Amino acid sequence: MTGSLQDKSARLRMLARSGIWISLFGGLLLPWSIMLAVEILLRDVPLQRAWRSFTLHLFAPGYNLFLVGLLTALPFVILAASILFHLGTAPAHNILIAHRRAFGLFSAALLMVLIAGWIHIDVLIHPDAQGALAYFYLPILLLMVLPLGYGLGRGLAKLFLPRVPL
Amino acid sequence: MTAASPSQNILSSREIRLHLLGLVLVLGFLGLWYWLSTGARAVPTLIELLKDDDPSTRIVAAEQLGHIGPAARSAVSHLVSQATQDGSQHANSTAAAALKSIDLTAARGVMTYFLPHLHDPDVQQRRTACAVIGSLGPVAKPAVPALLVAARDADALVRRNSLIALSAIGIPSQPIGAALLDGLRDSSSLVRQTAVAQWAFTVPLSQEAVAVLTPTLNDPDKSIATLARTALDKPRAADAAHIGSLGIMLAHASARDYALHQLAQLGPAAGEALSPIVSLLEDEHPLIRYLAVETIGGMGAAGQPALPVLRRHRDSDPVVQAAVTEALRAMESAAAAAPSSKEASP
């Protein structure tokens, strides 16, 4: 392999490694961060009180913020596994294929984060009796978005990535 | 000279295996965290939280302990203390509500503590007493006569709290239903609204209630009229399909206490669901066993097939055992009265 190819391959390796863990922990921490941010920024609750209330309700019946986080994280675990098995197994000598896969997965992750973030913020800002149902439908929605986002990213990569000889 | 040969793929198969193991370990850790923080394992931590300076912490801890149920027995003394001594009424109520799911004797103790407060000259004491006794639910059945008196208190908030407490207790349904119908004619719109809300969301709808609620549809207070509409749209107490649904709900742990509490208020009509109710006499939760006994006892003649089971039943909980004795006495006297009334009739 040429030096340039090795560099690109190393960057993709780093991207795959970090993508797996960012996806897992990002999916888990996203709803919790939004809950805290809404309390602090929109409801003017001091950080210390918001944190205390959050930890108190992690396992409280009727709140179960831990399970809310876990439910949202599930599709991101699938995304992490996709990065591991799909991007991780891309041939190191054919960077174009790896780039297209990386674009697809990045596009899926971006769409999933946007949708999960929007739904969590909406449920918290407009709470109602049925709002919590969104937490159960969200993982299913995100799982459907994963292949759609991947296809979109992959398509865009095919259109715009230069087909340079490697 | 040997150099690490570059992998054919972006990640080597060894790296993939290690990352996969890492993912599984993180998920396992999250599962372990959840397991350690819920159920009986969380009781010592929750007991510590009951001692917190912040009332909202004590409230959430009490709610969680109630959710754990009989396995949280070691928290009973702390919960009794919170139910009776805490300065926050909400903390008192949540601790009392938790006790009914953990220890019926302790719950009755809280009821006994608050009964004299229903006659306290301090109006706030009377309001709190109604709220705490109500949070004990059907376990506070012996407090019904005192609450019926409180439902005629001079203070509107005491009357409102007593109506909420009465509908939370629910049994015996006849005097409670009568008090709620009286509440519909109260001088305070707050009390009227509370009374109609109980018919809409808590107590089963009797024919008598339908007759009284129907004119309320034209109440000038829109919220009262809307609640009356909600109440009248509910299935009627004697509706066979509704009783069938409640019978089915008995099989689901999350809906069981609600369904049983509704059936306990239906009297003889609940006889349609007798078989699943009898099987609940062996439930691990004393509150469920208590409600099952009260429901069978309230059925009168319709509950007669359950008499042999009730006679054999020896309950470890003294409150449930006392309810069994009372139910047997009521059912046997009803059975004895039935033939004599038949003989008297031509």
Side-chain angles (χ1 to χ4, degrees), chain B residues 242-321:
Chain B
H242 177 55
I243 295 169
S245 307
L246 291 172
I248 291 167
M249 284 164 79
L250 292 176
H252 300 277
S254 58
R256 202 170 42 203
D257 53 350
Y258 166 78
L260 205 46
H261 193 202
Q262 291 291 304
L263 287 165
Q265 296 171 67
L266 298 181
E272 306 255 339
L274 182 61
S275 167
I277 294 169
V278 169
S279 62
L280 292 176
L281 289 172
E282 302 303 326
D283 196 275
E284 60 171 324
H285 291 85
L287 179 63
I288 296 294
R289 299 200 301 274
Y290 172 78
L291 276 170
V293 172
E294 286 289 348
T295 310
I296 295 167
M299 288 177 194
Q304 293 295 322
L307 259 177
V309 185
L310 267 189
R311 282 196 190 111
R312 280 197 307 272
H313 189 80
R314 296 286 174 272
D315 206 285
S316 55
D317 190 294
V319 174
V320 181
Q321 190 55 47

Side-chain angles (χ1 to χ4, degrees), chain A residues 14-148:
Chain A
M14 186 54 71
L15 185 75
R17 285 174 186 153
S18 52
I20 292 162
W21 297 103
I22 288 171
S23 175
L24 176 69
F25 289 108
L28 192 64
L29 297 177
L30 178 78
W32 296 345
S33 321
I34 290 173
M35 286 167 196
L36 280 170
V38 166
E39 287 294 300
I40 295 162
L41 302 175
L42 293 182
R43 299 194 179 128
D44 293 326
V45 177
L47 171 66
Q48 206 178 356
R49 233 182 76 199
W51 176 253
R52 179 129 179 93
S53 169
F54 169 73
T55 52
L56 203 57
H57 292 96
L58 263 180
F59 303 99
Y63 297 90
N64 250 321
L65 304 184
F66 184 85
L67 279 186
V68 171
L70 217 57
L71 276 173
T72 308
L74 279 178
F76 288 93
V77 173
I78 306 291
L79 177 70
S82 305
I83 295 171
L84 185 62
F85 290 110
H86 194 54
L87 181 60
T89 55
H93 56 86
N94 191 340
I95 292 300
L96 184 62
I97 288 179
H99 270 153
R100 282 179 182 170
R101 289 185 183 184
F103 258 84
L105 289 164
F106 177 76
S107 162
L110 190 67
L111 266 181
M112 286 166 73
V113 166
L114 287 176
I115 289 172
W118 172 62
I119 287 181
H120 275 288
I121 291 171
D122 193 55
V123 167
L124 291 170
I125 293 180
H126 306 109
D128 66 37
Q130 275 80 43
L133 283 177
Y135 295 138
F136 292 97
Y137 291 119
L138 182 59
I140 299 164
L141 180 66
L142 293 181
L143 281 176
M144 291 193 302
V145 164
L146 201 158
L148 290 176

Side-chain angles (χ1 to χ4, degrees), chain B residues 72 85 114 134 157 191 223 287 293 322 325:
Chain B
Q85 309 300 325
F114 276 102
L157 279 176
V191 178
S223 61
L287 179 63
V293 172
T325 309

Side-chain angles (χ1 to χ4, degrees), chain A residues 1 12-13 17 20-21 24 28 52 56-57 59-61 64 66-67 70 77 84-85 87-92, chain B residues 6-11 15-16 19-20 22-23 26-27 30 33-34 37-38 49 52 56-57 60 63-64 67:
Chain A
M1 279 198 281
L12 277 167
R13 189 170 297 122
R17 285 174 186 153
I20 292 162
W21 297 103
L24 176 69
L28 192 64
R52 179 129 179 93
L56 203 57
H57 292 96
F59 303 99
N64 250 321
F66 184 85
L67 279 186
L70 217 57
V77 173
L84 185 62
F85 290 110
L87 181 60
T89 55
Chain B
S7 167
Q8 294 299 302
N9 294 333
I10 296 292
L11 297 177
E15 224 178 340
I16 288 176
H19 276 95
L20 194 61
L23 284 177
V26 170
L27 292 177
L30 290 172
W33 184 12
Y34 185 77
S37 307
T38 52
L49 291 178
D52 199 278
S56 61
T57 304
V60 173
E63 281 173 347
Q64 278 188 255
H67 197 71

